[in-house]
Amino acid sequence: MERLDNKSVLLTAAGQGIGRAAAELFIREGARVVATDLHPELLEGLECQKRALDVTDRSAIEQVVYEEGPFDVLFNCAGYVHHGTLMDCREEDWDFSFNLNVRSMFWTMRAVLPSMLERRQGSIINMSSVASSIKGVPQRFLYSATKAAVIGMTKSVAADYVQMGIRCNAVYPGTVDTPSWRARVAAQSRQEGVPEDRVREAFIRRQPMGRVGQPEEIAYLVLYLASDESRFTTGAVYVIDGGWSM
Ligand code: NAD
């Protein structure tokens, strides 16, 4: 794969998990990286431009893009997992998750698109999940609704700009070993009064491969979609889930 020396990349939620792994990979491949996160202290150690950014704040997004752009690549990684059924979902939960998981991407894409269109090149990668329109997963009512919306937005953007040099794809991971996944295991163990090991085992059993994914494994897919090697790909569904949804 060619190095990404000529690419400027904007990442959201780059402080930990998949976003961090992607930021590290982009840096290693020579890209000019602007790593952002709600908690800027989590960005420490990344050798790139670092900015605090709450993706639910539209003017903050516009400011970062104005000051740090133009960008060739946008990786929309920020997202939150709401645990529960339809009956567990309060209106404020709905608003919080849709603001963070969906509306934020509308704003970031709107912010970067004008300069991408001017230069007739850009690759946008949106973080979805197998828990979406791909697969019905128990206790993921709200999360799946938001991640299915990401798929719709991604395909629509891909269709609108396919002849203008812009590509837009989404990645759909299964379960990945990240700080928030570990926190979900701990929380579920407390809620259900079941030992953490048993909860973790149940997550692991979902993957026929017998393990959960590693953030780097998802990051390599993101790197591919950002690179020119994937130039024939847009509006695509990239499932990466250890065989969970096959
Ligand atoms: P994580 O959940 O452990 O970390 C999330 C990061 O997002 C943190 O650094 C946090 O500070 C940041 N963040 C939270 N709110 C923010 C906001 N308002 N603005 C900007 N940043 C904010 O990381 P993860 O588990 O790798 O998840 C990243 C993405 O991958 C999410 O969209 C998630 O839905 C998706 N995903 C994760 C898994 C998994 O099993 N971990 C599976 C499929 C999809």
Side-chain angles (χ1 to χ4, degrees):
M1 192 181 274
E2 279 173 37
R3 277 173 60 84
L4 297 186
D5 287 333
N6 53 343
K7 305 262 186 230
S8 58
V9 180
L10 175 64
L11 297 97
T12 68
Q16 64 184 35
I18 299 166
R20 173 122 193 162
E24 286 170 353
L25 202 47
F26 280 125
I27 293 166
R28 222 160 63 213
E29 291 299 313
R32 184 182 75 82
V33 173
V34 179
T36 70
D37 199 281
L38 176 65
H39 301 294
E41 66 280 7
L42 293 174
L43 299 168
E44 259 171 44
L46 288 174
E47 285 177 10
C48 65
Q49 182 70 345
K50 302 180 268 289
R51 296 284 302 250
L53 180 62
D54 176 352
V55 294
T56 64
D57 181 342
R58 180 181 187 170
S59 58
I61 290 170
E62 288 169 350
Q63 196 179 343
V64 166
V65 171
Y66 177 73
E67 290 172 10
E68 307 285 353
F71 293 102
D72 303 295
V73 175
L74 166 65
F75 177 32
N76 272 321
C77 187
Y80 171 76
V81 180
H82 175 269
H83 179 85
T85 65
L86 176 148
M87 295 306 290
D88 302 317
C89 175
R90 300 165 304 169
E91 201 155 331
E92 54 266 39
D93 298 325
W94 181 275
D95 289 343
F96 178 82
S97 282
F98 266 87
N99 280 341
L100 176 46
N101 295 7
V102 183
R103 195 189 301 249
S104 66
M105 295 191 188
F106 161 51
W107 285 335
T108 52
M109 290 193 287
R110 246 190 114 111
V112 301
L113 255 173
S115 62
M116 285 182 173
L117 286 168
E118 233 167 71
R119 292 173 304 130
R120 295 187 74 80
Q121 62 160 12
S123 174
I124 298 170
I125 301 118
N126 292 329
M127 177 58 81
S128 182
S129 169
V130 159
S132 59
S133 51
I134 304 285
K135 185 167 173 61
V137 177
Q139 308 285 350
R140 290 290 179 269
F141 163 73
L142 176 54
Y143 183 66
S144 300
T146 63
K147 292 300 189 182
V150 171
I151 296 174
M153 280 195 305
T154 300
K155 285 181 178 278
S156 167
V157 168
D160 281 335
Y161 301 104
V162 63
Q163 281 157 6
M164 299 170 208
I166 311 299
R167 299 186 295 111
C168 187
N169 293 287
V171 293
Y172 308 71
T175 313
V176 183
D177 185 359
T178 66
S180 73
W181 176 63
R182 291 183 181 212
R184 281 194 292 284
V185 169
Q188 203 172 317
S189 152
R190 279 194 305 276
Q191 275 161 20
E192 296 173 3
V194 175
E196 273 193 36
D197 282 358
R198 293 236 327 258
V199 176
R200 194 173 302 107
E201 271 308 307
F203 272 106
I204 290 170
R205 264 200 311 277
R206 301 193 304 194
Q207 280 74 222
M209 283 191 186
R211 66 174 178 88
V212 297
Q214 292 303 314
E216 300 71 29
E217 292 171 321
I218 315 302
Y220 272 106
L221 176 55
V222 175
L223 180 74
Y224 168 69
L225 291 171
S227 74
D228 291 341
E229 274 77 7
S230 64
R231 63 176 79 83
F232 199 48
T233 282
T234 194
V237 175
Y238 279 91
V239 171
I240 176 162
D241 68 351
W244 184 18
S245 63
M246 69 182 171

